[in-house]
Amino acid sequence: MKYCEKCQMEIENNIPRCPLCGKGLSEKSGDYVMEYPLTHSLRRYKTAIKIIWFSALLISGVLIIVNFLTQVRWLWVLTGICSLWYLAVTAVFAIRSSRNIGLMILVQTIGISLLTLEIDSSFGFRRWSLNYVIPLLLSFSVLLLTVLILCKPVMLRDFIVYLFVIAALGLAPVVLLVLGLATVPWPSTAAGFLSAAVMIGTFLFASRKTKHEMKKRFHV
């Protein structure tokens, strides 16, 4: 029987390092209890949920401040805040119900982005969807998956496809900015920088098994 002193977890499999923290395992005699204790997982997820709520609150405040500075109509702020909190609630619900979190975040991000674009078009297309809501929404989605992976590193291989798809979508606002469809630089630039940083960081810090999984799934 192997034992992780940091996680205080017994592991039955014959592996050299802890699958949660990566620390080397020591030998321990005794009965096997549970390879992935539920209490440990819930504790990690409670931290992720708190970060999700705090991030949604922080970005909502940023949207309100930006609206005061730009003196744009309140419609885009209400749409953006509702979208952010809807996505946050969806992510927390997926975490608590143990559903496919990555897929739910991806689908909801795309759906909300299209919905905000439609609302913007229906009210004269003032470009607030392309300038603010969609870039910040994509940034929030990338942060959501990043936080979940940091809180539960063993799930990186499960989320890798969804993380890269959302990160690739996060580069789209930069393209819209270059084409002149988006007219406010900082949200699109922030979304593009965050997405690029996450993609590069994943390649640099991922384990050999994760890189092999990435190559297999993306056929490279």
Side-chain angles (χ1 to χ4, degrees):
M1 181 73 64
K2 293 190 175 183
Y3 180 77
C4 177
E5 296 180 356
K6 181 178 180 180
C7 300
Q8 299 181 354
M9 180 180 69
E10 295 178 343
I11 298 177
E12 185 180 33
N13 294 345
N14 187 24
I15 55 178
R17 295 184 177 276
C18 175
L20 296 178
C21 68
K23 186 177 180 180
L25 301 174
S26 58
E27 294 292 337
K28 181 181 179 182
S29 60
D31 298 330
Y32 168 70
V33 287
M34 187 174 182
E35 185 175 351
Y36 300 100
L38 181 61
T39 55
H40 183 89
S41 177
L42 288 178
R43 184 168 64 251
R44 291 288 185 94
Y45 278 143
K46 285 180 180 178
T47 302
I49 291 173
K50 291 180 181 178
I51 295 176
I52 290 172
W53 292 137
F54 177 76
S55 299
L57 182 63
L58 181 64
I59 296 177
S60 298
V62 170
L63 291 177
I64 294 174
I65 293 173
V66 169
N67 186 80
F68 276 117
L69 295 176
T70 57
Q71 296 182 350
V72 184
R73 292 185 178 180
W74 279 95
L75 178 61
W76 78 272
V77 178
L78 295 176
T79 304
I81 291 176
C82 290
S83 300
L84 286 172
W85 283 96
Y86 177 76
L87 186 59
V89 170
T90 300
V92 172
F93 172 76
I95 292 172
R96 292 185 177 277
S97 62
S98 300
R99 296 190 178 185
N100 193 328
I101 307 172
L103 179 60
M104 290 188 69
I105 293 176
L106 175 60
V107 172
Q108 296 294 349
T109 300
I110 295 175
I112 295 173
S113 298
L114 294 176
L115 178 61
T116 55
L117 185 61
E118 175 63 25
I119 294 174
D120 190 8
S121 301
S122 301
F123 286 86
F125 193 53
R126 297 179 178 273
R127 300 180 188 271
W128 50 261
S129 58
L130 300 180
N131 286 332
Y132 300 107
V133 179
I134 293 178
L136 293 176
L137 185 64
L138 290 170
S139 300
F140 186 61
S141 300
V142 172
L143 286 174
L144 277 181
L145 285 177
T146 303
V147 167
L148 291 173
I149 289 172
L150 291 176
C151 291
K152 189 74 170 178
V154 74
M155 299 185 71
L156 175 59
R157 285 186 292 174
D158 297 330
F159 287 167
I160 194 68
V161 173
Y162 306 114
L163 179 61
F164 265 75
V165 171
I166 294 179
L169 291 175
L171 300 176
V174 179
V175 177
L176 297 176
L177 184 64
V178 173
L179 295 177
L181 296 176
T183 57
V184 180
W186 69 265
S188 299
T189 304
F193 177 80
L194 178 62
S195 299
V198 168
M199 294 176 73
I200 294 173
T202 304
F203 273 112
L204 291 178
F205 298 106
S207 64
R208 183 177 300 178
K209 290 183 179 180
T210 302
K211 291 180 180 179
H212 176 71
E213 185 73 15
M214 290 163 57
K215 292 180 180 179
K216 183 175 67 175
R217 295 195 181 190
F218 288 102
H219 304 286
V220 293

